[in-house]
């Protein structure tokens, strides 16, 4: 039933691996399933015996009262074993639930861990909605496979086999006649599988697409509203939803094409039994009781046949879903600690050096950084300026090793960044990203995100450094104000200031600000510049900025154009040089005068 895939383990092998700790229970559960299906023979078997008893009583002119012992024994056995069967079924269901939930728990945790530890490339490859589908819907298909599909397979097999064996024990010829048409079912089901497998793959993709759309539109709701695109988005979703529904219907239709044949065969069974069995009785080859047992058990042959389509369907759903999960499960981030990575528990001095660094995104067409060389000495402030898209954000992402250069070296304190343990490197870098993301937490919680043990006074201090304390105090609940998803309820500049406080709160040796004051007013920015120059700890600052007012006090300014440093020096030198920077100064000062 399983096809080869590109992963280190087969799907079922992978499932087995993740059943760790629950494997014994799973095996017991499988045996339980086999047991309660063999016990299905009880009622037909004893019914047959009872009929034979009645017949004997009648034929020999005895009274049933003389055979009361046998009668009650048969009834008692039938009821007793049936009750036992019910208990086995109950315990078995519980066992499957425990195994499947336990496995699910393990895989879910593992996946979350995997996703958290991925590198930037992973996050630019996978969309959130798609990842969410993997850890919800796809995982549920895996649970369903353990709790239902595998169990149904065992159930159908044991039911079919035990009934078949029982038939053979009663009468070989009748058994052969009845079972002769069953191999046809396998042919039909195999053909069905080939048809339905690709549809399940498509179905799963459509669900992921739909989830991605929903997730993007819900979190991007403001944009939808701003452009009055609600109707468009609703219609678009409606289409996706319709498409998903139609594919679901198609899947069912595929089964419907095969269904009549399966039903035909399943329904032919009792007819064959009636015909052949009747003839056997006429010729005195089997007893009435055997005939009754046969006819009461014929469903045990027919039902597994009917179930096979369903089982195959669900197994294909599991295959499509587990492929998606295993893709993440077995994915490895490229940027990881080297085996001989250097531990650096202490602070860095903060020297940052770029030496002939060139870089191109793996999926990008053009190089983004070209031969970048500069040094930021400990405690220095280096400003990076340049038009949009020139590579500023890409450049600073090399320092915490979010990406690695294609050539050249980035060093911190004289050691190439890839030599350090990632955690030690990143713990020392305070980064305020261009796209500010605040957690749904209090302001205090957001500021102390990287430094959990902060006291309230310290939180207040970092808020002051980032000129945020005034507006926080004006909020009704101060530092306890919950800032919603993506910081709803705060202005752009307020969010930026909280993100700056968060970066400062870890007392980094290297502080990187990516356009962090672009949304604050000039006056506030001045305050921030002032506090950044007077922090109570030393740190190297790398500041991306658009305003001359920010770059003016930097020890070094790098002017970036198309991924290359075209000018570098301090404000005075660059103005004197009369190049791009000098033009920018004229432009901005001119603007502020006008
Ligand atoms: P602003 O933030 O707008 O001022 O621009 P920037 O100077 O920070 O530019 P950035 O470094 O973000 O981008 C430089 C170039 O790299 C641009 O041409 C982008 O299109 C490209 N780029 C940025 N991020 C990615 C990415 O994740 N993948 C790919 N393939 N290209 C990217
Ligand atoms: Mg940028």
């Amino acid at each position: 039933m399983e096809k080869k895939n590109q992963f280190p383990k087969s799907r079922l092998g992978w499932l087995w691996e993740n059943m760790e700790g629950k494997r014994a229970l799973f095996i017991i559960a499988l045996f339980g399933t086999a047991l309660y299906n063999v016990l299905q023979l009880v009622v037909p078997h004893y019914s047959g015996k009872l009929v034979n008893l009645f017949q004997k009583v009648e034929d020999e002119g005895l009274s049933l009262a003389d055979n009361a012992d046998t009668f009650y024994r048969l009834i008692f056995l039938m009821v007793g074993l049936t009750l036992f069967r019910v208990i086995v079924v109950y315990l078995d269901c519980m066992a499957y639930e425990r195994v499947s939930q336990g496995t699910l728990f393990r895989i879910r945790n593992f996946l979350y861990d995997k996703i958290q530890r991925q590198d930037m490339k992973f996050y630019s490859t996978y969309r959130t909605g798609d990842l969410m589908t993997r850890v919800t819907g796809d995982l549920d298909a895996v649970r369903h496979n353990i709790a239902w599909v595998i169990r149904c397979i065992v159930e159908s097999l044991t039911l079919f086999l035990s009934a078949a064996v029982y038939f053979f024990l009663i009468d070989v010829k009748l058994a052969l006649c009845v079972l002769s048409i069953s191999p046809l079912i396998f042919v039909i089901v195999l053909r069905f599988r080939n048809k339905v497998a690709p549809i399940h793959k498509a179905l799963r993709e459509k669900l992921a697409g739909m989830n991605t759309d929903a997730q993007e539109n819900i979190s991007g709701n403001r944009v939808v509203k701003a452009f009055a695109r609600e109707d468009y988005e609703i219609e678009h979703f409606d289409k996706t939803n319709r498409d998903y529904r139609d594919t679901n219907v198609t899947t069912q239709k595929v089964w419907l094409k095969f269904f009549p044949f399966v039903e035909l065969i399943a329904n032919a069974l009792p007819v064959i039994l009636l015909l052949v069995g009747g003839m056997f009785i006429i010729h005195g080859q089997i007893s009435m009781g055997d005939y009754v047992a046969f006819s009461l058990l014929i469903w045990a042959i027919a039902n597994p046949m009917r179930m096979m389509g369903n089982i195959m369907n669900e197994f294909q759903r599991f295959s499509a879903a587990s492929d998606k999960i295993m893709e993440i499960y077995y994915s490895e981030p490229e940027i990881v600690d080297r085996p001989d990575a250097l531990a650096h528990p202490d602070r860095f001095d903060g020297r940052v050096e770029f030496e002939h660094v060139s870089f191109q995104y793996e999926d990008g067409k053009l190089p983004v950084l070209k031969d970048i060389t500069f040094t930021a000495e400990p405690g220095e402030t280096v400003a990076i300026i340049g038009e949009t898209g020139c590579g500023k954000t890409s450049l600073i992402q090399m320092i915490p090793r979010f990406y690695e250069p294609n050539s050249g070296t980035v060093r911190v304190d004289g050691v190439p960044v890839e030599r350090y343990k990632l955690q030690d490197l990143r713990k020392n870098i305070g980064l305020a990203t261009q796209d500010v993301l605040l957690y749904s937490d209090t302001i205090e919680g957001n500021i102390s995100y990287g430094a959990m043990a902060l006291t309230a006074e310290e939180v207040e201090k970092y808020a002051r450094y980032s000129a945020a304390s005034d507006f926080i105090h004006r909020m009704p609940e101060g530092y306890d104000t919950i800032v919603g998803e993506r910081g709803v309820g705060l202005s752009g500049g307020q969010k930026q200031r909280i993100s700056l406080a968060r970066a400062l709160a870890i007392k980094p040796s290297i502080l990187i600000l990516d356009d962090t004051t672009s949304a604050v007013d000039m006056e506030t920015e001045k305050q921030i510049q002032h506090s950044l120059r007077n922090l109570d700890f030393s740190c190297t600052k790398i500041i991306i900025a658009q305003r001359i007012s920010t770059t003016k006090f930097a020890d070094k300014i790098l002017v970036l154009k198309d991924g290359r440093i075209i000018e570098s020096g301090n404000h005075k030198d660059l103005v004197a040089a009369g190049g791009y920077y000098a033009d920018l100064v004229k432009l901005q000062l001119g603007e502020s005068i006008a």
Side-chain angles (χ1 to χ4, degrees):
M1 197 145 28
E2 259 210 301
K3 284 218 174 116
K4 272 250 151 286
N5 56 33
Q6 71 272 32
F7 306 114
K9 280 215 157 83
S10 68
R11 296 179 190 113
L12 293 177
W14 167 76
L15 210 53
W16 181 247
E17 179 181 283
N18 279 292
M19 279 186 198
E20 206 195 287
K22 301 264 185 292
R23 287 180 196 148
L25 187 62
F26 187 59
I27 302 283
I28 294 172
L30 291 180
F31 273 110
T33 306
L35 176 66
Y36 77 71
N37 280 291
V38 173
L39 286 173
Q40 298 269 29
L41 300 182
V42 166
V43 173
H45 176 72
Y46 287 107
S47 303
K49 284 234 181 284
L50 277 173
V51 170
N52 279 345
L53 177 70
F54 296 149
Q55 194 115 45
K56 194 176 124 201
V57 168
E58 200 180 302
D59 289 352
E60 297 175 12
L62 305 167
S63 104
L64 190 57
D66 297 333
N67 286 284
D69 275 1
T70 324
F71 176 74
Y72 286 124
R73 188 170 51 87
L74 289 177
I75 296 281
F76 176 77
L77 273 171
M78 198 156 102
V79 174
L81 283 172
T82 304
L83 270 179
F84 174 63
R85 182 176 168 273
V86 170
I87 295 170
V88 175
V89 174
Y90 178 80
L91 292 176
D92 210 45
C93 281
M94 301 244 289
Y96 280 113
E97 211 43 47
R98 278 195 88 92
V99 174
S100 64
Q101 294 294 355
T103 311
L104 199 66
F105 173 80
R106 190 187 139 110
I107 301 178
R108 204 188 288 126
N109 261 347
F110 188 90
L111 281 184
Y112 188 71
D113 210 76
K114 255 279 146 76
I115 293 173
Q116 280 291 321
R117 290 176 201 286
Q118 287 293 345
D119 50 29
M120 292 287 168
K121 203 179 106 199
F122 177 90
Y123 284 100
S124 59
T125 313
Y126 291 102
R127 296 176 303 171
T128 312
D130 182 63
L131 287 176
M132 292 304 289
T133 309
R134 289 176 209 239
V135 294
T136 53
D138 289 339
L139 262 186
D140 192 63
V142 169
R143 192 196 61 77
H144 186 65
N145 189 55
I146 302 171
W148 194 84
V149 183
I150 295 183
R151 172 178 165 193
C152 271
I153 294 173
V154 175
E155 180 162 328
S156 298
L157 272 180
T158 35
L159 201 57
F160 185 90
L161 286 179
S162 50
V165 169
Y166 187 73
F167 279 13
F168 276 106
L169 287 179
I170 299 180
D171 191 279
V172 176
K173 273 191 246 160
L174 186 55
L176 277 177
C177 288
V178 172
L179 293 173
S180 60
I181 50 168
S182 53
L184 271 179
I185 290 282
F186 289 97
V187 179
I188 295 176
V189 168
L190 280 182
R191 300 192 102 188
F192 168 63
R193 182 192 86 167
N194 294 339
K195 279 242 159 29
V196 85
I199 306 186
H200 272 288
K201 281 210 167 71
L203 198 61
R204 196 264 155 215
E205 288 310 321
K206 283 183 182 163
L207 177 65
M210 194 166 73
N211 285 348
T212 304
D213 278 359
Q215 182 265 329
E216 281 177 3
N217 278 319
I218 293 170
S219 60
N221 180 268
R222 288 169 179 219
V223 179
V224 177
K225 292 223 182 313
F227 288 87
R229 294 282 276 185
E230 290 98 330
D231 289 342
Y232 168 83
E233 293 298 351
I234 289 169
E235 199 180 311
H236 177 74
F237 186 81
D238 191 56
K239 232 168 80 190
T240 326
N241 194 6
R242 208 179 287 271
D243 190 31
Y244 179 62
R245 179 200 62 191
D246 291 345
T247 315
N248 258 316
V249 172
T250 311
T251 323
Q252 294 309 316
K253 275 194 185 146
V254 176
W255 176 236
L256 280 183
K257 271 196 200 135
F258 290 87
F259 177 74
F261 299 104
V262 175
E263 269 310 294
L264 191 69
I265 295 172
N267 284 318
L269 287 171
V271 179
I272 296 175
L273 180 70
L274 262 176
L275 186 72
V276 184
M279 282 158 56
F280 275 46
I281 292 185
I282 294 173
H283 294 112
Q285 282 179 333
I286 56 167
S287 68
M288 195 60 189
D290 290 345
Y291 181 79
V292 168
F294 252 94
S295 60
L296 284 179
L297 258 186
I298 199 76
W299 70 268
I301 299 288
N303 267 21
M305 292 183 174
R306 290 197 175 97
M307 282 300 286
M308 280 186 75
N310 222 337
I311 291 175
M312 191 51 87
N313 214 0
E314 291 297 327
F315 193 80
Q316 292 311 319
R317 186 162 88 91
F318 159 73
S319 299
S322 60
D323 281 358
K324 288 292 166 183
I325 299 176
M326 285 162 84
E327 190 182 321
I328 308 289
Y329 190 94
Y330 286 116
S331 65
E332 286 302 334
E334 282 164 24
I335 298 179
V336 287
D337 282 348
R338 286 188 179 186
D340 59 344
L342 289 177
H344 195 291
D346 309 324
R347 280 178 68 81
F348 286 113
D349 296 335
R351 174 180 290 105
V352 177
E353 289 163 88
F354 275 60
E355 191 183 277
H356 303 298
V357 169
S358 296
F359 173 69
Q360 176 171 351
Y361 288 100
E362 214 161 278
D363 53 344
K365 301 231 171 355
L366 294 169
V368 171
L369 296 176
K370 299 163 200 161
D371 197 24
I372 302 286
T373 302
F374 72 90
T375 304
E377 295 297 341
E380 260 187 3
T381 299
V382 172
I384 305 174
I385 197 164
E387 56 200 36
T388 171
C390 67
K392 304 179 295 292
T393 302
S394 308
L395 186 151
I396 52 120
Q397 301 213 71
M398 304 277 138
I399 306 171
R401 215 180 145 211
F402 287 160
Y403 290 99
E404 292 193 314
N406 299 86
S407 63
T409 317
V410 179
R411 292 197 181 82
V412 167
D413 285 5
V415 177
V417 285
E418 64 272 14
R419 296 285 317 278
Y420 290 114
K421 278 191 192 294
L422 272 177
Q423 286 243 349
D424 288 346
L425 174 72
R426 291 180 183 169
K427 251 184 5 217
N428 270 293
I429 298 174
L431 174 64
T433 52
Q434 193 166 15
D435 173 21
V436 178
L437 187 137
L438 299 182
Y439 286 96
S440 300
D441 192 359
T442 58
I443 290 181
E444 176 169 353
N446 268 289
I447 292 179
S448 60
Y449 182 74
M452 302 296 269
L454 287 192
T455 62
E457 290 75 41
E458 282 171 312
V459 170
E460 158 83 31
K461 179 179 79 186
Y462 294 112
R464 246 193 347 264
Y465 279 154
S466 58
S469 68
D470 283 353
F471 85 78
I472 297 173
H473 280 298
R474 280 199 303 274
M475 305 196 87
E477 287 173 75
Y479 284 86
D480 293 327
T481 310
I482 304 269
V483 285
E485 197 179 12
R486 290 187 168 254
V488 170
L490 293 179
S491 75
Q494 289 170 333
K495 280 191 264 183
Q496 284 187 335
R497 280 178 275 170
I498 291 181
S499 118
L500 172 61
R502 175 170 65 190
L504 286 172
I506 63 167
K507 288 194 171 192
S509 334
I510 301 162
L511 178 72
I512 303 175
L513 306 182
D514 191 350
D515 242 356
T516 305
T517 49
S518 60
V520 300
D521 59 275
M522 294 280 200
E523 188 50 41
T524 311
E525 193 195 349
K526 232 185 207 165
Q527 272 179 46
I528 295 175
Q529 295 303 335
H530 177 79
S531 23
L532 286 181
R533 282 193 297 274
N534 297 290
L535 295 175
D536 64 354
F537 58 92
S538 82
C539 79
T540 309
K541 293 158 210 115
I542 299 188
I543 301 175
I544 296 178
Q546 304 292 352
R547 292 191 194 140
I548 297 297
S549 52
T550 317
T551 59
K552 207 164 160 184
F553 297 103
D555 299 296
K556 196 176 284 164
I557 301 162
L558 307 176
V559 181
L560 222 59
K561 192 170 168 45
D562 291 334
R564 224 180 262 286
I565 297 178
I566 52 165
E567 289 168 30
S568 79
N570 65 24
H571 182 78
K572 235 167 77 194
D573 298 343
L574 289 184
V575 170
Y580 179 94
Y581 186 81
D583 287 347
L584 206 64
V585 172
K586 262 186 239 151
L587 191 73
Q588 291 199 6
L589 290 184
E591 262 176 9
S592 64
I593 293 164

